[in-house]
Amino acid sequence: MLKRLVMILILIKGTTFYSQIFENKIVANYTLVPSGEEMGSSRSNISYILGLNAGNFNIDNKLGIGVNNLSYPMDASFNTTGLETFYRFHNYTAIGYRFSRYWKLEVDSDISLASNLKGELTSEKFLLNGGLAITRDFGTVELPAYVKFGLGYYTFLGVPKILPRVLFYKKFNKTLALGIGFPKTEITYQLDRNNSLQGNLEFKGMYANVHHSSRLTSSISNMVWSSNTTSLKFQHRIDNTWSFDLNLGYGFSDEYKFIDHLGNETYTINNESFFLGTGIILNLNNK
């Protein structure tokens, strides 16, 4: 599995010699969920994003690393030793083909490893998500508009399952754009050339392996995180290279489930809370 992942990255990177790069950047994000009655958490992510265009084909690739730190309540009903930090390594690839002026087909895959990294790692611990989607365009170059329908095997709701992907997107003018769908709905308002506001409603999830040490609760084999959030993001472009954003939101459902090897829930912690996020974007096209 690791060899295949390396080969995929080499092939994608190699296409830059004959393709036009239209997106090449590094994105870092940090989100803090203050400790409430149940628990608190912080999430850190850094990703390298590369977009390539070759005629009717386009390839989008994101290689990322994430760290999720959990702060449990003092009266937790189970032994939380070794369950404080979960890591996620993933490589997302989407390949699109435009077979007419109005229609486009897309295949996406996400190879990931999510774990507390307390034991031996094997190829069986990797998770492969992905699916198919078709897009119907009906806008213009200046004011794009399209509808996307897709189906695949995803972790938007935590546990991997077959889920739809739906999006209606329309840019009304130079300042206002709207995208309604699942797993994400967003509205963007461009204040001026360098500043914008974005409102989001999003479903997120992670399915992580729990490796055991002598101090861990042996009945737990997986941790499932699912979240339904709404937020308001302010983004500022400093120059052609650097941008940053501030994100304030509320998690209506921020749930952690710990399950055994039979798939039964052993412990569940719910935590509805406000959260604060910040991010930095480095545009490598200007380097």
Side-chain angles (χ1 to χ4, degrees):
M1 181 65 74
L2 288 175
K3 291 182 180 179
R4 293 178 182 176
L5 179 59
V6 171
M7 288 301 298
I8 290 172
L9 294 176
I10 291 174
L11 289 172
I12 292 172
K13 186 64 177 176
T15 56
T16 60
F17 291 106
Y18 58 85
S19 301
Q20 177 185 1
I21 298 178
F22 59 87
E23 188 176 38
N24 188 18
K25 61 187 179 182
I26 295 175
V27 179
N29 293 290
Y30 176 79
T31 302
L32 175 65
V33 181
S35 299
E37 295 182 1
E38 294 292 344
M39 67 184 302
S41 65
S42 65
R43 298 187 291 272
S44 304
N45 298 275
I46 184 167
S47 302
Y48 170 57
I49 299 173
L50 179 66
L52 307 172
N53 191 0
N56 291 330
F57 285 93
N58 69 276
I59 301 177
D60 296 305
N61 193 80
K62 180 168 74 172
L63 181 64
I65 301 174
V67 181
N68 194 338
N69 291 305
L70 306 180
S71 176
Y72 294 92
M74 295 294 294
D75 59 348
S77 60
F78 60 100
N79 181 11
T80 62
T81 302
L83 303 176
E84 300 89 353
T85 305
F86 286 86
Y87 304 86
R88 184 172 185 264
F89 308 88
H90 75 106
N91 185 79
Y92 172 82
T93 303
I95 301 176
Y97 175 67
R98 182 170 297 279
F99 53 89
S100 77
R101 177 183 175 185
Y102 301 104
W103 294 95
K104 178 181 176 182
L105 180 67
E106 181 183 272
V107 180
D108 71 292
S109 67
D110 189 12
I111 304 173
S112 65
L113 169 66
S115 170
N116 61 341
L117 297 183
K118 294 296 182 181
E120 181 181 357
L121 296 179
T122 62
S123 60
E124 289 77 15
K125 300 298 183 181
F126 284 83
L127 180 65
L128 176 60
N129 293 328
L132 295 170
I134 190 166
T135 300
R136 172 63 162 89
D137 289 300
F138 54 90
T140 64
V141 175
E142 295 80 13
L143 298 175
Y146 59 86
V147 177
K148 177 185 288 189
F149 297 96
L151 189 67
Y153 188 66
Y154 300 112
T155 59
F156 302 145
L157 301 181
V159 176
K161 61 179 64 177
I162 295 178
L163 294 170
R165 281 195 301 155
V166 183
L167 177 62
F168 166 79
Y169 176 86
K170 181 175 177 58
K171 186 173 183 180
F172 295 94
N173 49 50
K174 293 182 179 180
T175 60
L176 183 63
L178 175 67
I180 302 175
F182 175 82
K184 186 176 182 179
T185 291
E186 62 182 35
I187 182 169
T188 303
Y189 185 78
Q190 196 72 33
L191 299 171
D192 53 41
R193 183 173 181 268
N194 296 319
N195 300 286
S196 65
L197 287 174
Q198 185 180 87
N200 297 291
L201 176 63
E202 186 172 10
F203 293 86
K204 294 182 179 180
M206 181 175 70
Y207 186 77
N209 294 290
V210 174
H211 297 286
H212 299 294
S213 69
S214 58
R215 295 182 296 173
L216 284 180
T217 305
S218 59
S219 62
I220 298 175
S221 62
N222 292 95
M223 186 275 286
V224 180
W225 170 64
S226 60
S227 180
N228 180 11
T229 64
T230 182
S231 63
L232 180 64
K233 178 190 291 186
F234 168 75
Q235 187 172 69
H236 173 69
R237 188 173 72 100
I238 301 173
D239 52 33
N240 291 333
T241 301
W242 293 95
S243 301
F244 76 89
D245 61 65
L246 294 174
N247 193 15
L248 177 64
Y250 187 83
F252 291 99
S253 174
D254 200 63
E255 187 174 67
Y256 293 86
K257 295 181 180 179
F258 299 89
I259 60 180
D260 61 22
H261 67 284
L262 296 176
N264 300 312
E265 297 179 19
T266 56
Y267 308 99
T268 300
I269 298 179
N270 297 294
N271 188 39
E272 294 186 6
S273 176
F274 287 97
F275 64 86
L276 178 65
T278 183
I280 299 175
I281 301 173
L282 172 61
N283 183 1
L284 298 175
N285 285 338
N286 294 313
K287 293 297 182 179

